[in-house]
Amino acid sequence: VPTVKEVWFEGGEPFLVYPLLLEGIRLAHEHGFTTGVVSNAYWAESVEDAELWLRPFAELRLGTLLLSDDPYHHGDRDPSPASLAREAANRLGLGGGEICLPPPDRLDGVRFRGRAADRLTEGLPSAPWREMTSCPDEDLRDPERVHVDPFGLVHGCQGILLGDLTRESLADLLARDEPDRDPIRGPLLRGGPAALVEEHGLEPPEPVVSACHLCYLARQELRERFPERLGPAGVYGATS
Ligand code: SF4
């Protein structure tokens, strides 16, 4: 797929599969991609310890290291593991930066889906679900990026599946993809999460905090009807 220039290794938490992460970066470079890693740096117990974890990435010439450094990931730990890892990364010459999400009541950083929809929405300002008429964050018709999970499933947005790379190549998948005819992306493209609710005859719970919140609640309801399009189970807080 000629438009794909970069491969990023994100979470969950990619350091949980540390040897595979290193090998993935090596292979991505071998195929001419630039690379990036996003981690919460749970593994950094001191700057010296973090240097041991990160030295192989410097040797592999990792492109960018982004570290999640906010209370969602580290509570009130001071210094945070991410700040220890950043100091180690600086010593090793690894470039990158931090991802710092604001508190949920700012409503401008947290995407309320997955655990965020379940655990962070209580008490926040809400709006009628019919106002959620567009997707704010993903271009579902002509995506500039896709996510590939450890099962080989390709996601447009987390939990919205385009196909399975264990069955076909990404090039073939994209060539035959018809997002407007997709039972999930089609309604989202026509009228956002509100259309997803209306076109499938769902009764959404009131109120919702954001478009992503409604989208996630609707997809939870639809998951059993469209198992090929909505998964894997873990993204929806389920085990099967
Ligand atoms: S959760 Fe739904 S509304 Fe939010 S970015 Fe993803 S597809 Fe768009």
Side-chain angles (χ1 to χ4, degrees):
V1 181
T3 53
V4 178
K5 312 278 190 215
E6 295 182 31
V7 178
W8 280 72
F9 298 83
E10 307 181 348
E13 172 49 52
F15 276 66
L16 291 171
V17 289
Y18 187 77
L20 289 175
L21 175 59
L22 292 175
E23 179 65 0
I25 291 164
R26 191 190 67 75
L27 281 170
H29 288 170
E30 192 175 293
H31 288 81
F33 298 106
T34 57
T35 53
V37 169
V38 182
S39 173
N40 62 28
Y42 75 91
W43 34 268
E45 294 182 1
S46 67
V47 176
E48 292 73 21
D49 175 55
E51 270 193 77
L52 295 179
W53 284 88
L54 291 177
R55 189 169 297 132
F57 296 92
E59 289 166 0
L60 283 169
R61 297 183 180 278
L62 173 71
T64 308
L65 175 67
L66 293 182
L67 298 168
S68 298
D69 193 2
D70 56 36
Y72 296 106
H73 296 87
H74 305 297
D76 56 6
R77 290 173 68 182
D78 186 20
S80 69
S83 64
L84 298 173
R86 174 53 58 203
E87 189 172 337
N90 290 342
R91 288 186 190 177
L92 293 163
L94 275 170
E98 275 62 57
I99 301 174
C100 308
L101 288 180
D105 58 0
R106 288 258 306 274
L107 295 180
D108 64 351
V110 178
R111 294 175 187 171
F112 293 95
R113 53 201 188 204
R115 277 177 297 170
D118 291 335
R119 292 165 63 175
L120 297 178
T121 52
E122 197 176 326
L124 297 183
S126 57
W129 67 271
R130 287 184 187 281
E131 292 181 8
M132 308 300 164
T133 55
S134 64
C135 164
D137 285 318
E138 299 285 356
D139 184 343
L140 297 169
R141 181 172 287 113
D142 193 16
E144 291 191 349
R145 64 171 184 172
V146 293
H147 312 268
V148 182
D149 73 18
F151 308 109
L153 300 171
V154 181
H155 301 232
C157 177
Q158 287 89 346
I160 298 179
L161 302 178
L162 278 60
D164 181 349
L165 295 190
T166 66
R167 295 187 190 162
E168 62 184 331
S169 72
L170 183 60
D172 288 346
L173 186 160
L174 294 175
R176 67 161 183 75
D177 190 40
E178 295 182 290
D180 290 288
R181 300 181 65 171
D182 184 284
I184 306 302
R185 285 177 291 154
L188 286 171
L189 286 165
R190 285 187 284 279
L196 190 61
V197 169
E198 282 179 320
E199 291 190 26
H200 290 296
L202 300 178
E203 287 186 25
E206 292 272 15
V208 292
V209 164
S210 67
C212 292
H213 185 202
L214 178 63
C215 183
Y216 180 74
L217 295 175
R219 289 194 271 127
Q220 273 187 317
E221 292 290 311
L222 292 167
R223 201 166 66 83
E224 283 186 14
R225 279 162 64 182
F226 301 104
E228 296 276 312
R229 290 289 154 223
L230 297 172
V235 172
Y236 293 92
T239 52
S240 63

